[in-house]
Amino acid sequence: MGSKARDSRQAILDRLRSREVTPVELPAIFGDDSISQVAIGFDDPPTQFAGTVEAVGGLCLQVGSMQEALNKLEQDEVYRDAARRCSLVGDEIPGNVNLQEIEDPHELSSLDFLIARAEFGVAENGAMWITDRDIRHRASLFITQHLALVVSRQSIISNMHQAYERIGQPETPFGVFIAGPSKTADIEQSLVLGAHGCRTLTVFLVDEPA
């Protein structure tokens, strides 16, 4: 950038900073109504959540235990063929890649399958909230070819208003909502899966305490 352009930019910024803007009080989003009266709600959030996950391209399997989740995985050809698997859900589902032993996230470029836990799910859009509380390399969530997320059935809530209330002030430096596999499309309406993230997303809705 030349000096003339820098001077022009600085002049614009200085003029903007010199303007005094009168603060305006934010409007009440719901007026006198509570969120529960206005926001969308479901009689059976877990069932709605499972349907929404499928609608956005994921696969939702309702299981009674982690052993049942492992049994489902072992029936999956993609999981069986995965050479590099990383499990962040404990010994109940084993893996052969240990994130704690990896210094450079670039070493995860050939990661085939990642299994992690989500803190809760949202029925209205199928999104799941994940933090890096127990994930050394957050890149693993996006660089893996296939992603499986475990979420408690009891943790499913109806809408994003409840989600942000639950998150409150984040306690971890990183958190993200993930809903479905990575999808992108161009003007020819050609849908591509996995361009910016996982190619497939499997959700295990486990019947366990949230």
Side-chain angles (χ1 to χ4, degrees):
M1 181 184 295
S3 60
K4 187 175 181 179
R6 282 197 298 272
D7 292 344
S8 297
R9 185 186 68 174
Q10 191 60 50
I12 293 171
L13 293 174
D14 290 343
R15 290 186 64 183
L16 288 173
R17 292 191 182 102
S18 67
R19 300 278 295 183
E20 291 188 9
V21 179
T22 304
V24 177
E25 189 173 344
L26 294 175
I29 298 177
F30 300 110
D32 295 331
D33 298 321
S34 68
I35 290 177
S36 60
Q37 292 175 306
V38 180
I40 189 170
F42 302 100
D43 294 334
D44 186 354
T47 299
Q48 177 64 34
F49 172 78
T52 309
V53 168
E54 301 270 352
V56 297
L59 173 65
C60 187
L61 301 173
Q62 303 197 44
V63 296
S65 65
M66 292 300 290
Q67 180 59 52
E68 188 177 349
L70 177 59
N71 294 342
K72 295 282 187 184
L73 280 174
E74 291 176 339
Q75 297 170 18
D76 180 12
E77 184 177 356
V78 170
Y79 178 78
R80 291 200 308 267
D81 293 344
R84 300 190 74 204
R85 305 171 186 166
C86 177
S87 172
L88 302 175
V89 298
D91 297 334
E92 296 161 301
I93 298 180
N96 56 15
V97 174
N98 186 346
L99 287 191
Q100 300 302 323
E101 297 176 352
I102 293 178
E103 296 297 330
D104 184 352
H106 290 88
E107 297 175 36
L108 297 169
S109 61
S110 59
L111 184 63
D112 295 306
F113 211 107
L114 175 71
I115 307 157
R117 279 190 180 273
E119 295 189 6
F120 63 87
V122 185
E124 69 170 338
N125 57 10
M128 286 154 285
W129 176 249
I130 304 166
T131 71
D132 59 354
R133 194 187 313 276
D134 300 313
I135 302 177
R136 182 178 187 192
H137 298 296
R138 64 186 69 161
S140 60
L141 292 167
F142 311 103
I143 203 169
T144 183
Q145 291 290 318
H146 305 277
L147 176 64
L149 293 176
V150 177
V151 62
S152 168
R153 179 182 177 85
Q154 284 70 28
S155 74
I156 305 302
I157 55 180
S158 287
N159 56 64
M160 292 299 291
H161 298 287
Q162 295 169 333
Y164 283 110
E165 277 188 338
R166 175 164 176 162
I167 294 170
Q169 186 67 32
E171 298 177 352
T172 57
F174 173 81
V176 65
F177 283 104
I178 292 181
S182 167
K183 297 182 287 293
T184 188
D186 58 22
I187 56 176
E188 296 180 347
Q189 299 182 349
S190 177
L191 181 64
V192 178
L193 299 179
H196 308 294
C198 62
R199 294 161 57 192
T200 67
L201 172 66
T202 302
V203 179
F204 289 107
L205 197 55
V206 185
D207 195 8
E208 63 181 11

